Amino acid sequence: MSIIELTEEQRMVRDTAREFAESEIKPVAARLDKEGRFPSEIVKKLAELGFMGIFIPEHYGGSGMDTLTYVLALEEISKACASTGTIMSVNNSLVCDPIYTFGTEEQKNKYLIPLARGELLGCFSLSEPAAGSDAGSIRTTAVRDGNYYIINGTKNWVTNGPEADIIILFASTDLSKKHRGISAFIVEKETPGVIVGKVEDKLGIRASSTSQIIFEDCRVPVDNRLGEEGQGFKIAMQTLDGGRIGIGAQAVGIAQAAFEDSIRYSKQRESFGQPISEFQAIQFMLADMATRIEASRLLVWQAAVMKDKKLNLTKYSSMAKLYASETAMWVTTKAIQIHGGYGYTTDYPVERYFRDAKITEIYEGTSEIQRLVIARRVLNEYGF
Ligand code: CAA
């Protein structure tokens, strides 16, 4: 594996995740994908394992571990089922993390504890039909009315949307201030005026659900504002800095699954009188797969460690997500090539890995947005 030495606790959590994924998730992953069914029973077990709030301190309902432990577990879960990985990563990175970082003590006691324990499920609601990459242009509004805000607008691409109990919502409290007018809120899904809209029929991660959420005169208490008015865009960006590490880990998991299946298949499958693993054409693909996966994993681990050290990780989490997601797409494409016609059928899981990999290049910021983030920073860093 890697020269980087993991602690006993990190290895233990990784091994627990691996065993759970192998025995309880992998055997049902293809069926969940085919049926497009949200795996409630698996999510419940993830909660029992403490995987829904891994890096949240124990007194707030979490497992009190670090971000590296989180990515180790997430890689293993995603290796078996990328849909389950998505559900887990959103709850940890995009929901528990911002409440832990920006929430009041009251918000932490009321929402973070049950979310980190996995008793409640969360989702993150930033994108809109006409504002995806340009997150600063969202049009959903939150208008103050006494001790409440009245929310109106439509949100898109909300992972966990249909099942979630709690929504981390971004809305504008002052449209004239553009991104500086955006504020963040913790919204209970049961609040009148919250409507789950269209549930998407997706290419991949089909066992996770993605929907629109519509807000119609939804009244949210002022006490549920996360951070100050106008701080929402920074909360979203900082949260995504962490979330992108998780997507990197998910991508590494998908790529690792496709790589291992390719090794196995190439040793078994014979062509021209020998296992296809004997051919350089196959070996070169396997070598490049192994190298790119290793590099991706190291970038993900580096970003995870930087997060725990509270270093400025924006560039590094974008690099980890960019490289790992493009690696997952590349590796899964080659995995199908190695499997030939069989790889193009649902008899083998590589077609699922290929479909699942694609989203990692899109959500939590497309590859193009990651390049933009990285380029802006490197141009700034080098003063010549
Ligand atoms: N941390 C803290 N603050 C940040 C920041 C960061 N990482 N990045 C930017 N900011 C701050 C800047 O300092 C700036 O502050 P000031 O107003 O004080 O000047 C402000 O935010 C605006 O920054 P930019 O000028 O860089 O903003 P921009 O509009 O040019 O570009 C962007 C920003 C990087 C393109 C951003 O809009 C972005 O990341 N877009 C992609 C959005 C995204 O990832 N969406 C995914 C949604 S979640 C999802 O996929 C669904 C799901 O359920 C999983």
Side-chain angles (χ1 to χ4, degrees), residues 90 94 124 126-127 132-136 157-159 179-180 233-234 237-238 240-241 244 314 363-365 369 372-373 376-377:
V90 166
L94 300 188
F124 183 85
L126 173 66
S127 303
S133 290
D134 185 7
W157 318 126
V158 187
T159 307
H179 72 269
R180 290 186 181 151
F233 191 73
K234 291 200 176 179
M237 291 299 113
Q238 197 176 316
L240 285 165
D241 282 348
R244 289 167 183 165
T314 303
Y363 64 9
E364 299 202 28
I369 290 296
L372 183 140
V373 168
R376 281 183 182 172
R377 278 173 177 69

Side-chain angles (χ1 to χ4, degrees), residues 182-220:
I182 296 173
S183 305
F185 301 89
I186 304 170
V187 182
E188 297 179 19
K189 214 338 221 336
E190 289 303 307
T191 313
V194 178
I195 302 151
V196 174
K198 180 172 175 248
V199 179
E200 306 296 344
D201 187 7
K202 308 189 297 289
L203 173 73
I205 55 164
R206 291 183 60 82
S208 75
S209 47
T210 309
S211 74
Q212 276 196 332
I213 298 189
I214 299 147
F215 296 86
E216 278 182 8
D217 291 331
C218 168
R219 292 173 74 82
V220 174

Side-chain angles (χ1 to χ4, degrees), residues 32-330:
L32 288 171
D33 170 73
K34 193 163 188 187
E35 293 170 359
R37 187 171 66 73
F38 186 87
S40 310
E41 61 293 343
I42 292 175
V43 175
K44 192 162 169 273
K45 286 182 185 166
L46 288 177
E48 284 161 14
L49 289 169
F51 286 179
M52 295 305 273
I54 295 187
F55 52 75
I56 299 299
E58 286 172 270
H59 61 277
Y60 289 128
S63 296
M65 290 167 190
D66 57 14
T67 309
L68 183 53
T69 313
Y70 165 57
V71 298
L72 291 168
L74 188 52
E75 178 186 331
E76 295 300 332
I77 301 297
S78 304
K79 187 179 160 200
C81 174
S83 299
T84 307
T86 299
I87 298 162
M88 178 178 151
S89 86
V90 166
N91 201 72
N92 277 273
S93 290
L94 300 188
V95 180
C96 288
D97 199 19
I99 301 179
Y100 176 59
T101 308
F102 300 101
T104 60
E105 202 52 34
E106 199 185 21
Q107 289 169 344
K108 289 178 193 172
N109 288 327
K110 186 167 179 191
Y111 296 113
L112 180 57
I113 292 176
L115 282 162
R117 283 185 184 149
E119 294 162 0
L120 295 180
L121 184 70
C123 67
F124 183 85
S125 196
L126 173 66
S127 303
E128 297 184 357
S133 290
D134 185 7
S137 297
I138 58 168
R139 308 300 295 173
T140 296
T141 52
V143 177
R144 182 86 182 243
D145 178 25
N147 286 333
Y148 288 84
Y149 285 94
I150 302 175
I151 317 267
N152 278 288
T154 299
K155 292 290 178 180
N156 255 33
W157 318 126
V158 187
T159 307
N160 294 347
E163 287 78 18
D165 306 287
I166 301 296
I167 307 165
I168 302 295
L169 170 73
F170 297 88
S172 179
T173 38
D174 187 345
L175 284 171
S176 71
K177 290 188 181 158
K178 306 207 165 133
H179 72 269
R180 290 186 181 151
I182 296 173
S183 305
F185 301 89
I186 304 170
V187 182
E188 297 179 19
K189 214 338 221 336
E190 289 303 307
T191 313
V194 178
I195 302 151
V196 174
K198 180 172 175 248
V199 179
E200 306 296 344
D201 187 7
K202 308 189 297 289
L203 173 73
I205 55 164
R206 291 183 60 82
S208 75
S209 47
T210 309
S211 74
Q212 276 196 332
I213 298 189
I214 299 147
F215 296 86
E216 278 182 8
D217 291 331
C218 168
R219 292 173 74 82
V220 174
V222 169
D223 285 348
N224 281 29
R225 195 186 63 225
L226 193 56
E228 297 303 317
E229 266 198 16
Q231 207 194 343
F233 191 73
K234 291 200 176 179
I235 293 177
M237 291 299 113
Q238 197 176 316
T239 300
L240 285 165
D241 282 348
R244 289 167 183 165
I245 306 173
I247 302 307
Q250 181 194 29
V252 173
I254 298 168
Q256 182 71 29
F259 171 62
E260 288 180 17
D261 282 12
S262 299
I263 296 262
R264 196 176 299 113
Y265 184 81
S266 66
K267 285 184 175 176
Q268 287 164 359
R269 172 72 181 178
E270 293 199 358
S271 195
F272 301 99
Q274 58 180 348
I276 61 170
S277 59
E278 297 296 319
F279 294 111
Q280 250 186 9
I282 302 292
Q283 289 176 358
F284 283 8
M285 282 194 252
L286 295 174
D288 285 342
M289 283 175 164
T291 307
R292 291 185 194 205
I293 291 170
E294 207 70 33
S296 301
R297 187 178 286 116
L298 287 171
L299 281 171
V300 169
W301 286 14
Q302 170 180 258
V305 171
M306 289 182 78
K307 182 167 188 291
D308 287 328
K309 289 184 187 276
K310 301 198 188 314
L311 298 171
N312 189 335
L313 58 89
T314 303
K315 180 179 81 175
Y316 296 95
S317 66
S318 281
M319 284 178 166
K321 197 234 178 219
L322 171 66
Y323 196 75
S325 61
E326 295 197 343
T327 291
M329 204 59 237
W330 189 88

